[in-house]
């Protein structure tokens, strides 16, 4: 959930820092106080499109920062963070967005600079904003199949994983078939290129690990004088009169003279004798190795020339000799495949038919599971719509499948062969239509609430934001919307801008947004209301202006009613 939001020099906001809690938080205030500006800031934090118009007049940049806490280390956000090398600790994520007066946008996730596209990937997993004037994820038909799969995730996820494994295999086979069977000119050009590369690599006569061995040899030859001098100095320090080896022998003999009188001396005498022989052997090895050394400037030139040739090949075929040799093996396989392409095409056709058949069976299982989920989802949505006084509405999950042209095979994609659309009719006798074609704002608000009530627990989004989705409703519908928003807040944190006292009364936390003028500048403040302050604010929302005793009485009744409803829902 969104735990803390900091905004600085954004539109009319000078500087504010707001903390949020679980459950339902409502934001109220006079028109123009800055309620929607705060939601705009949250949308920008989630990767929305920015503009220099958001930068407060007279300042260089606008800054927005949000702290989010995750309720589980299995949240989908962890996979996204891992993909982009972002560390998440203590189940906390900080999103940061800066918009400069020059039009630049700077984005960070947990302190790491990211692109706007990456910020948006994080944002869509954390925040879902719904307003009357913006198409959201639930209206986008491309998302409907994903939502349906989430609705029955326990069964569908396993079947989809098995299907995707076959689909990716099928896609790979089809790609190779296309490469071999289409465009003879390209294949001929590819064949010439492969032959050239094969010949170039083979002529080099590469040996595994050759580059590493040559690098070592070049280092020895280039530093011959230093190596030879070091070996000579080491040998001279050990051998000859008054040298290291002679002093070790003297120490060993001294201990041996007294070893029969003391067990400690006897033990150390043996150790000293062993060390002497080890150092003596080391000295002989140094001498023998020194004798083998010979300065060979011609060999150094040969090594340099060979390394240059290898480095030239590395620029084309791999970063090491071993990688170049592996690439040669792949070239030979592809050459053999192209040279005998007719037999390979025939083989690929059989493989494609077999894998397609298996993939189709998995796709059919996916389809059957989705049809079952669709029937259950339809019943759940109908119940939600009835609670919102849309009992005469009809909701449907529509399936569309496409056949491949020329035969009876289904066109498979990453979702199987299904295309899924949510459709609704709000009046008896009217045909079902896609969600985004429902015209009435009040009806759309209730439809979206019904959908969000069902999907809030499946989407994994930590914060749902409603920006005046209750516009255009009143009376019993307003109360139904208030209750439905409260139900959504049981599954996810909900932030709601509202002008309805019924919704405000249902809140777990009520924040008042006010506009002030200081030194000829407008600024916005956000303050959490106490119970008495909440009664006064509800009274203002009821009357629209002056506080009256009857309005305050009504406000108290709304709060009592909301409290009773939350107790019935099992929410303190």
């Amino acid at each position: 959930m969104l735990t803390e939001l900091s905004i600085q020099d954004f539109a009319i906001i000078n500087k504010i820092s707001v903390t949020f809690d679980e459950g339902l938080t409502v934001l109220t205030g006079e028109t123009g106080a800055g309620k929607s500006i705060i939601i705009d800031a949250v949308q920008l934090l989630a990767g929305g499109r920015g503009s220099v118009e958001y930068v407060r007049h007279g300042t260089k940049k606008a800054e927005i920062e949000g702290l989010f806490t995750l309720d589980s280390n299995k949240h989908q956000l962890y996979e996204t963070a891992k993909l982009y090398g972002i560390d998440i600790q203590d189940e906390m994520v900080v999103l940061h967005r800066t918009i400069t007066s020059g039009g630049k946008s700077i984005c960070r996730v947990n302190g790491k600079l990211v692109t706007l596209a990456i910020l948006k990937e994080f944002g869509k997993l954390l925040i879902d904003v719904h307003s009357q004037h913006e198409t959201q994820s639930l209206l986008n038909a491309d998302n409907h199949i994903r939502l349906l799969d989430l609705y029955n995730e326990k069964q569908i996820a396993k079947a989809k994983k098995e299907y995707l494994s076959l689909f990716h295999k099928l896609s790979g086979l089809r790609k190779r078939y296309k490469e071999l069977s289409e465009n003879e000119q390209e294949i001929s050009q590819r064949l010439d290129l492969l032959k050239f590369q094969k010949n170039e690599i083979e002529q080099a006569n590469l040996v595994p690990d050759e580059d590493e061995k040559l690098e070592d040899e070049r280092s020895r030859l280039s530093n011959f004088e230093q190596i030879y001098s070091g070996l000579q100095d080491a040998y001279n320090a050990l051998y000859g009169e008054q040298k290291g080896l002679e002093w070790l022998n003297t120490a060993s003999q001294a201990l041996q003279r007294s070893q029969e009188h003391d067990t400690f001396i006897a033990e150390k005498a043996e150790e000293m004798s062993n060390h002497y022989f080890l150092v003596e052997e080391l000295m002989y090895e140094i001498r023998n190795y020194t004798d083998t050394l010979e300065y060979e400037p011609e060999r150094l030139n040969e090594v340099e020339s060979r390394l240059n040739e290898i480095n030239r090949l590395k620029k084309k075929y791999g970063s090491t000799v071993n990688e170049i040799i592996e690439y040669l093996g792949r070239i030979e396989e592809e050459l053999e495949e192209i040279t005998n392409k007719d037999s390979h095409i025939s083989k690929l056709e059989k493989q494609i038919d077999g894998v397609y058949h298996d993939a189709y069976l998995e796709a059919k299982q996916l389809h059957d599971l989705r049809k079952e989920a669709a029937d259950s989802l339809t019943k759940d949505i109908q119940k939600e719509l009835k609670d919102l006084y849309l009992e005469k509405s009809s909701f449907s999950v529509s399936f569309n499948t496409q056949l491949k042209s020329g035969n009876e095979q289904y066109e498979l994609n990453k979702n199987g062969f299904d295309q899924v659309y949510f459709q609704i009719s709000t009046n008896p006798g009217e045909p079902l239509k896609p969600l985004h074609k429902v015209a009435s704002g009040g009806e759309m608000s209730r439809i979206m609430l019904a959908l969000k009530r069902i999907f809030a627990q499946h989407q994994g989004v930590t914060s749902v934001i409603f920006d005046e989705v209750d516009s255009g409703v009143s009376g019993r519908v307003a109360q139904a919307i208030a209750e439905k928003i409260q139900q959504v807040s049981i599954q996810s944190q909900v932030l709601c801008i509202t002008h309805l006292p019924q919704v405000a009364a249902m809140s777990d936390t009520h924040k008042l947004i006010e506009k002030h003028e200081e030194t000829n500048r407008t600024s916005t403040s956000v303050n959490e209301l106490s119970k008495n302050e909440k009664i006064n604010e509800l009274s203002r929302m009821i009357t629209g202006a002056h506080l009256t005793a009857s309005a305050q009485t009504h406000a108290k009744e709304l709060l009592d009613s909301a409290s009773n409803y939350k107790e019935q829902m099992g929410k303190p």
Side-chain angles (χ1 to χ4, degrees), residues 90-317:
D90 300 324
E91 297 183 350
M92 293 191 295
V93 177
V94 177
L95 303 186
H96 185 100
R97 180 90 178 266
T98 298
I99 299 175
T100 69
S101 57
K104 292 183 178 179
S105 183
I106 304 168
C107 309
R108 289 184 173 86
V109 177
N110 278 2
K112 182 174 181 177
L113 282 169
V114 297
T115 63
L116 181 59
I118 294 175
L119 180 71
K120 194 170 185 178
E121 286 192 47
F122 280 84
K124 71 182 181 182
L125 295 174
L126 292 169
I127 306 166
D128 184 20
V129 181
H130 173 62
S131 65
Q132 279 201 314
H133 309 293
E134 184 175 355
T135 301
Q136 293 297 308
S137 61
L138 288 176
L139 287 178
N140 188 344
D142 292 338
N143 290 327
H144 293 174
I145 193 167
R146 179 180 62 85
L147 291 171
L148 181 62
D149 289 352
L150 282 173
Y151 179 77
N152 187 21
E153 185 178 19
K154 189 174 182 180
Q155 287 184 298
I156 291 179
K158 182 180 178 181
K160 193 170 184 178
K161 182 179 180 181
E162 293 174 355
Y163 166 76
L164 281 174
S165 176
L166 289 168
F167 174 72
H168 292 319
K169 183 177 180 180
L170 179 65
S171 298
L173 290 171
R174 283 175 169 172
K175 180 182 178 182
R176 190 63 193 135
Y177 178 85
K178 184 177 181 180
E179 290 172 348
L180 285 175
S181 60
E182 293 184 2
N183 202 325
E184 290 291 337
Q185 184 178 1
E186 287 185 7
I187 292 176
S188 178
Q189 291 173 348
R190 178 66 176 168
L191 187 62
D192 290 342
L193 175 63
L194 292 174
K195 287 179 178 178
F196 171 80
Q197 291 178 340
K198 179 176 181 290
N199 183 59
E200 185 176 36
I201 296 173
E202 286 180 340
Q203 284 185 347
N205 294 316
L206 298 174
V207 177
D209 301 320
E210 182 180 3
D211 49 345
E212 295 179 6
K213 294 174 182 177
L214 287 172
E215 292 283 358
D216 291 341
E217 186 177 0
R218 179 173 64 179
S219 178
R220 289 195 303 273
L221 292 170
S222 300
N223 298 279
F224 177 83
E225 185 176 345
Q226 182 180 347
I227 293 170
Y228 187 84
S229 175
L231 289 169
Q232 285 282 26
D233 290 344
Y235 177 77
N236 291 334
L238 292 173
Y239 187 70
E241 293 185 5
Q242 303 299 309
K243 301 295 184 178
L245 197 60
E246 184 176 338
W247 282 109
L248 281 175
N249 185 47
T250 300
S252 178
Q253 291 177 357
L255 290 174
Q256 289 174 9
R257 288 196 295 269
S258 303
Q259 63 181 342
E260 63 184 33
H261 306 299
D262 189 302
T263 56
F264 173 80
I265 295 176
E267 181 183 339
K268 298 307 169 186
E270 184 178 358
E271 289 183 16
M272 183 63 75
S273 178
N274 291 337
H275 288 323
Y276 172 81
F277 290 120
L278 285 173
V279 174
E280 184 180 43
E281 184 178 351
L282 176 62
M283 180 200 68
Y284 289 136
E285 290 177 355
I286 290 174
R287 184 192 65 188
N288 293 336
Y289 183 72
T290 304
D291 291 341
T292 65
L293 293 180
E294 183 178 355
Y295 182 55
E296 300 177 275
E298 296 81 5
R299 177 55 185 166
L300 178 59
N301 291 334
E302 292 174 5
V303 170
E304 291 283 7
S305 177
R306 180 61 172 169
L307 282 173
N308 288 336
E309 182 182 6
I310 290 174
N311 288 333
R312 182 179 62 81
L313 294 175
K314 283 182 178 181
K315 292 178 181 178
K316 295 182 179 181
Y317 308 120

